[in-house]
């Protein structure tokens, strides 16, 4: 881990003046807010039968759900993803189209997917395989524990975010072309599709159509990143104000709930599947962070501040993947030590919060030290090679399998492996072993399709 820190510090010192440092800060900060939110919201209690139940603090304190209008920051992360994807794809396409550059003629799409997804899929596959092996071993040994079943169901849930991000990367070329042709019209088409889905679902009762909004809502947010990359986002205060008013009107006058994150037992969720209200929330939040761009950019010009952002960014995906493991490990330790678990939102519960957060942070740091090696860019960070090993079609199949695999695993979890537990993924049922196999196979196909056949000769 010390080597990674030194590498990150060297990268920080070598940062070119034209780099948009604020988007790097938004990426790190949004993941950090998600981690902190999960740690704070989790409320573990013991059921009468001795098993552990993982509840949600926002269900215990409904008024606190208004805080999700500030701290539900996934739209910001996907917005930053759109910005980064636009710049990376254009830069790569220009380099590979130049006959005098290294590696001309390689399939742009395959190389783009490999370069963009390598730091995402490598740590994800490490997480998936380590937890899969541990879950299988524990269940073969018939190990039982108050929190074990809940942990095996919950630790994979954040993988939905990885699946959505994979879809965004996979669809970047056609959506970027739509943006270049229609600009805000491409965003409006996706937003209109999301509104239509909500109308069919909530007003007309059309079944299953709601799942389309996993694409329409999040891809609309991603499209805003394209607009930011071209300096066409418009006036941030207008974007923020319009989004806030739209979200408030939809919640006050429509069937949408107050919380911008999923709540247990709710009839309608703004999050799963996402709704038009969540899209308006994304507009408000993206406009708000853009208002802060100028002062934040001045702050990031300080060497120590920027170095901290780069260092945090080098480990952020690993920390995100393992943060629920750390939180559940803390609660498991409390149960093993017979420390009473107070009622959520009680005075004693709040008094324990600083200690639980400190312990979760320490355990996450330990897990990052062990697994952050998989987040290294490695050889995938270069295109200085020639020849072809794969095609865009192979890459497309690979990324599709990978996103279906991680989405399936986020849904089914690792509980009841020996009983063949399955869950519904869009239109078919999937088990954990099948989901893992799809994810791993998809990752390998993306790696192969975008990898160079041989290195360019020296000199």
């Amino acid at each position: 881990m010390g080597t990674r820190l030194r590498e990150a510090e060297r990268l920080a010192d070598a940062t070119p003046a034209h780099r948009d440092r604020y988007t790097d800060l938004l990426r790190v900060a949004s993941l950090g807010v998600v981690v902190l939110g999960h740690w704070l919201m989790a409320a573990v209690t013991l059921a009468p039968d001795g098993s552990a139940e993982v509840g949600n603090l926002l269900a215990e304190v409904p008024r606190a759900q208004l805080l999700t209008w500030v701290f539900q920051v996934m739209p910001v992360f996907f917005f930053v993803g759109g910005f980064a994807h636009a710049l990376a794809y254009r830069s790569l396409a220009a380099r590979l189209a130049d006959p005098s550059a290294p590696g001309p003629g390689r399939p742009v799409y395959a190389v783009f997917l490999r370069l963009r997804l390598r730091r995402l899929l490598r740590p994800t596959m490490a997480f998936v395989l380590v937890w899969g092996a541990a879950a299988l071993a524990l269940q073969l040994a018939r190990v039982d524990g108050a929190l074990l079943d809940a942990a095996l169901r919950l630790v994979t849930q954040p993988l939905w975010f990885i699946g959505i991000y994979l879809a965004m990367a996979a669809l970047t070329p056609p959506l970027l072309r739509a943006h270049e042709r229609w600009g805000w019209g491409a965003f409006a088409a996706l937003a209109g599709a999301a509104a239509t889905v909500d109308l069919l679902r909530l007003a007309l009762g059309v079944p299953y159509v709601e799942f389309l909004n996993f694409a329409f809502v999040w891809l609309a947010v991603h499209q805003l990143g394209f607009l930011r990359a071209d300096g066409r986002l418009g006036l941030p205060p207008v974007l923020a104000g319009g989004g806030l008013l739209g979200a408030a009107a939809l919640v006050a006058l429509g069937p949408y709930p107050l919380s911008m994150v999923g709540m247990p037992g709710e009839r309608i969720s703004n999050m799963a599947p996402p709704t038009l209200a969540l899209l308006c929330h994304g507009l408000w939040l993206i406009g708000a962070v853009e208002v802060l761009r100028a002062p934040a950019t001045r702050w990031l010009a300080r060497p120590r501040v920027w170095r901290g952002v780069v260092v945090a960014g080098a480990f952020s995906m690993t920390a995100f993947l393992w943060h629920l493991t750390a939180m559940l490990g803390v609660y498991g330790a409390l149960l093993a030590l017979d420390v009473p678990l107070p009622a959520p939102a009680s005075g004693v519960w709040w008094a324990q919060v600083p200690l639980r957060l400190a312990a979760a942070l320490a355990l996450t740091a330990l897990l990052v030290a062990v697994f952050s090696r998989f987040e290294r860019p490695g050889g995938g960070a270069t295109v200085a090679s020639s020849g072809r090993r794969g095609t865009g079609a192979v890459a497309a199949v690979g990324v599709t399998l990978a996103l279906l695999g991680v989405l399936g695993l986020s849904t089914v979890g690792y509980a009841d492996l020996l009983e063949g537990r399955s869950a519904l993924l869009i239109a078919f049922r999937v088990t954990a072993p099948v989901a893992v196999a799809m994810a791993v196979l998809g990752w390998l196909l993306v790696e192969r399709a975008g990898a160079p056949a041989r290195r360019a000769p020296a000199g």
Side-chain angles (χ1 to χ4, degrees):
M1 187 170 176
T3 303
R4 294 295 314 282
L5 287 171
R6 289 190 292 273
E7 289 175 358
E9 289 174 352
R10 283 195 296 270
L11 285 173
D13 294 337
T15 301
H18 61 79
R19 185 176 180 89
D20 190 330
R21 301 184 179 197
Y22 188 49
T23 56
D24 292 284
L25 173 64
L26 291 178
R27 176 183 182 274
V28 172
S30 57
L31 287 179
V33 169
V34 171
V35 168
L36 180 60
H38 286 169
W39 285 348
L40 283 173
M41 286 193 302
V44 177
T45 56
L46 284 178
D49 62 359
S51 63
E53 295 179 346
V54 182
N56 191 319
L57 176 65
L58 298 179
E60 303 291 333
V61 189
R63 288 178 296 180
Q65 293 176 21
L66 189 59
L67 295 175
T68 64
W69 288 49
V70 176
F71 295 109
Q72 164 48 297
V73 293
M74 270 302 163
V76 175
F77 188 92
F78 292 142
F79 163 70
V80 170
F83 175 88
H85 287 158
L87 296 185
Y89 187 81
R90 287 167 171 170
S91 174
L92 182 65
R95 278 185 285 171
L96 294 184
D98 183 357
S100 65
R106 292 172 64 199
V108 176
Y109 184 64
V111 178
F112 168 76
L113 285 182
R114 181 174 185 257
L115 296 182
R116 294 306 299 168
L117 300 183
R118 205 159 195 238
R119 282 191 61 189
L120 186 71
L121 285 178
R122 290 178 73 215
T124 299
M125 292 305 106
F127 171 83
V128 164
L129 294 174
V130 168
W131 254 111
L136 182 60
L138 289 169
Q139 291 174 64
L140 285 172
R142 303 294 179 184
V143 175
D144 196 12
L147 195 58
L148 181 59
D149 184 68
L152 294 177
R153 286 184 286 106
L154 290 176
V155 290
T156 63
Q157 284 188 2
L159 292 178
W160 73 266
F161 145 81
I162 305 291
I164 297 297
Y165 199 84
L166 290 173
M168 289 174 171
L171 293 171
T172 287
L175 290 179
L176 189 56
R177 287 193 293 271
H179 157 75
E180 290 167 348
R181 182 170 182 179
W182 292 298
W184 274 98
F187 166 82
L190 289 166
T196 302
V197 166
D198 275 9
L199 177 66
L200 293 174
R201 168 196 178 191
L202 301 174
L204 303 179
V206 178
Y208 304 116
V209 71
E210 64 267 23
F211 294 109
L212 292 173
N213 266 356
F214 279 110
F216 293 144
V217 169
W218 290 129
L219 289 176
V221 171
H222 189 248
Q223 209 76 8
L224 293 173
F226 295 166
L227 290 162
R228 176 67 190 85
D230 286 349
R232 300 171 61 186
L233 197 59
L235 297 175
V238 174
L239 189 67
L244 185 59
L245 288 175
L250 289 170
V251 170
L253 305 176
Y256 302 96
L258 175 65
S259 175
M260 291 297 163
V261 301
M263 298 297 299
E266 63 186 357
R267 186 178 67 87
I268 297 173
S269 168
N270 279 322
M271 187 69 181
T275 63
L276 183 61
L278 185 64
L279 177 55
C280 289
H281 167 73
L283 290 172
W284 130 250
L285 212 56
I286 290 165
V289 298
E290 284 296 306
V291 168
L292 300 174
R293 175 174 288 275
T297 300
R298 291 192 294 270
W299 180 61
L300 289 166
R302 300 176 183 178
R304 292 183 63 181
V305 174
W306 175 237
R307 193 175 295 120
V309 171
V310 175
V311 169
F315 310 106
S316 57
M317 188 53 59
T318 303
F320 173 81
L321 287 166
W322 291 94
H323 77 280
L324 281 188
T325 302
M327 181 202 74
L328 293 166
V330 170
Y331 274 109
L334 293 175
L335 290 171
L337 295 171
D338 290 326
V339 177
L341 296 181
S346 65
V348 178
W349 189 91
W350 284 111
Q352 284 185 356
V353 165
L355 294 175
R356 288 200 304 270
L357 291 182
L361 181 61
L363 188 50
T364 300
L366 178 61
L367 290 166
V368 166
V370 173
F371 294 107
S372 64
R373 69 192 68 184
F374 298 103
E375 200 170 344
R376 295 175 184 170
T382 178
V383 295
S385 52
S386 61
R388 301 168 65 100
R389 288 192 61 176
T391 66
V394 173
V397 171
V399 74
T400 301
L401 285 173
L403 74 89
L404 289 175
V406 295
L407 286 177
L409 193 54
S410 75
T411 303
V412 70
Y414 279 123
D416 301 322
L417 282 176
L418 302 181
E419 286 75 27
R421 178 182 178 179
S422 66
L424 184 66
L425 175 64
I426 307 175
F428 60 92
R429 301 197 69 83
V430 64
T431 63
V434 169
V436 170
M438 286 194 298
V440 172
L441 177 59
W443 167 51
L444 294 176
L445 287 175
V446 170
E447 280 285 313
R448 178 171 180 79
R454 57 183 174 83
R455 293 192 177 278

